[in-house]
Structure formats: structure tokens, C-alpha cells
Amino acid sequence: MHKALVACRAGVGSSLMLKIKTEQVIKENGFPIQVEHSSLDAVSGFDGDLLITLADVAKELETQGLKQTIIGINNIVDKVEIESKLSHFLTS
């Protein structure tokens, strides 16, 4: 089971919507991913293997040398995009 953190700068609006859509995709596809939700403040203490965030935030996080795989989502309500990127993570 993979552990993922859905996060944005404040940890409220956009990341909460992204978490809901991500959980729908995980359930619909039976992906072995457990999702947590927080602000970017929690990233440094997160011990899972996947960070899911907005595309612009992902670019910032990629420069920080984090051990987790980072997925940046362009459209937080696009379940096709979320499914595609989670599938790629699970198969790579």
C-alpha cells in the first residue's frame, strides 16, 4: 500500500478538492494508495512515497530534493488526468 499526501500552500480549498477527486479515482480503479491531506508545512515530516499537489507547487517541490515522487495536477477536477498520473506512478 502506497501512502500519499495531497497538499497545497494553505491546505484548504484546492487541495481538499484534489483529495476528494483523488480518492474517487483510487476507489474507482482499486489503486493501492492511502491518502492524507495537509498544507505544505507537513511535507517535511511526511514519511510516505507520493506527494500530490497542484502543478505550480510541484515545480517548487521538485527543487527541494525530496525523496517522494511528486505528481503535479493541472486541473484538480479532471479525474482522467489524476488517473493517468497515478497509473504511471504505480507502473514505474
Side-chain angles (χ1 to χ4, degrees), residues 34-79:
Q34 173 188 345
V35 177
E36 297 177 18
H37 169 255
S38 186
S39 69
L40 289 181
D41 294 339
V43 169
S44 62
F46 178 63
D47 65 350
D49 50 358
L50 178 62
L51 297 172
I52 304 169
T53 188
L54 307 176
D56 63 323
V57 177
K59 287 183 175 118
E60 292 175 25
L61 291 175
E62 287 166 357
T63 66
Q64 295 181 12
L66 299 169
K67 63 178 179 153
Q68 294 91 353
T69 299
I70 301 167
I71 294 178
I73 302 296
N74 294 300
N75 182 344
I76 61 175
V77 295
D78 184 354
K79 289 166 63 174

Side-chain angles (χ1 to χ4, degrees), residues 31 69 71 81-92:
F31 290 158
T69 299
I71 294 178
E81 178 187 4
I82 296 167
E83 179 184 349
S84 170
K85 290 182 176 179
L86 290 179
S87 292
H88 181 266
F89 165 76
L90 291 169
T91 58
S92 57

Side-chain angles (χ1 to χ4, degrees), residues 2-60:
H2 296 279
K3 208 163 131 185
L5 177 68
V6 177
C8 70
R9 286 182 179 85
V12 282
S14 54
S15 62
L16 189 55
M17 177 62 76
L18 180 55
K19 177 184 181 275
I20 291 166
K21 292 297 178 186
T22 299
E23 286 178 328
Q24 289 172 352
V25 168
I26 289 168
K27 185 175 181 183
E28 290 167 6
N29 292 279
F31 290 158
I33 301 172
Q34 173 188 345
V35 177
E36 297 177 18
H37 169 255
S38 186
S39 69
L40 289 181
D41 294 339
V43 169
S44 62
F46 178 63
D47 65 350
D49 50 358
L50 178 62
L51 297 172
I52 304 169
T53 188
L54 307 176
D56 63 323
V57 177
K59 287 183 175 118
E60 292 175 25

